[in-house]
Structures are given as structure tokens and as C-alpha cells.
Amino acid sequence: MEVTITNENFSTLKNGNLPLVVDFWATWCGPCRMVSPIISELAEVYDGKVVVAKCDVEENEDLAAEFGIRNIPTILFFKGGEVVNKLVGAQAKAKIDEAIQQLL
């Protein structure tokens, strides 16, 4: 299941027992809309193994700034509370899936 990241729940999710994948996006971003269904699909595939989340950069500017998000979509991969991988721009499903596999 896909989760929505907020300033309030981010720290708990980042430091949780499961790896975390965060898609930084915005409603007006065309490439973000292309990646969104892929993120949703992978959230279902990895349910219970990885937390897959979306973070609207306009609603959570502090988080975007904290991680230096300058281009969207940007997908960050967290393990043990630390960023271990990053994909910037629209990516193929296979590439995102491969990055998630590396978290497991």
C-alpha cells in the first residue's frame, strides 16, 4: 500500500523496521504523473517488505529542502534511516524495481 509522506510521519517511517522508498513529486509535474502509476504498482508488489511513499514537494517544502530535491520526480531509497540510493527524473519500472530489490 502506498503511503503519503508528511512532515509529521516522515521520521517514523524513515526509522522504521522496513526500508522506505519516497517519490518526491508535484501535481503539476508531467514526468511525475508518468512515474506515479509505477510507484503505486510497486507499492502493491512490495507491500509488507518495503514502505513505498509519495511526498508532495509543495506541501512538504522542508523535507524537499532537507534532501536537496531540486528536480522532480526524485525517488530516494532509505535503509536503516539513511539514504542509500537516489533516482532523478522519470525512470522505467525495471530501474525502480531493481533499486527496490537492492534494499531487500
Side-chain angles (χ1 to χ4, degrees):
M1 178 176 75
E2 193 175 289
V3 177
T4 299
I5 291 284
T6 64
N7 289 321
E8 291 75 34
N9 70 1
F10 176 71
S11 183
T12 302
L13 291 171
K14 179 180 79 161
N15 296 310
N17 294 330
L18 296 176
L20 174 65
V21 176
V22 182
D23 173 24
F24 288 86
W25 70 289
T27 55
W28 48 263
C29 168
C32 297
R33 289 194 303 270
M34 290 170 40
V35 170
S36 184
I38 295 169
I39 295 297
S40 297
E41 186 177 330
L42 291 172
E44 295 298 322
V45 170
Y46 291 101
D47 190 32
K49 298 176 187 169
V50 176
V51 175
V52 178
K54 297 179 71 80
C55 181
D56 187 324
V57 296
E58 292 189 329
E59 293 178 8
N60 302 284
E61 293 176 6
D62 293 347
L63 285 176
E66 178 180 342
F67 293 100
I69 306 297
R70 289 185 170 76
N71 299 305
I72 53 173
T74 293
I75 304 170
L76 297 183
F77 301 83
F78 294 86
K79 189 166 189 175
E82 300 294 322
V83 176
V84 295
N85 199 356
K86 175 181 184 176
L87 296 175
V88 179
Q91 303 289 329
K93 179 181 175 184
K95 186 153 187 170
I96 300 169
D97 187 47
E98 179 184 330
I100 292 174
Q101 287 286 331
Q102 292 173 3
L103 291 175
L104 303 175

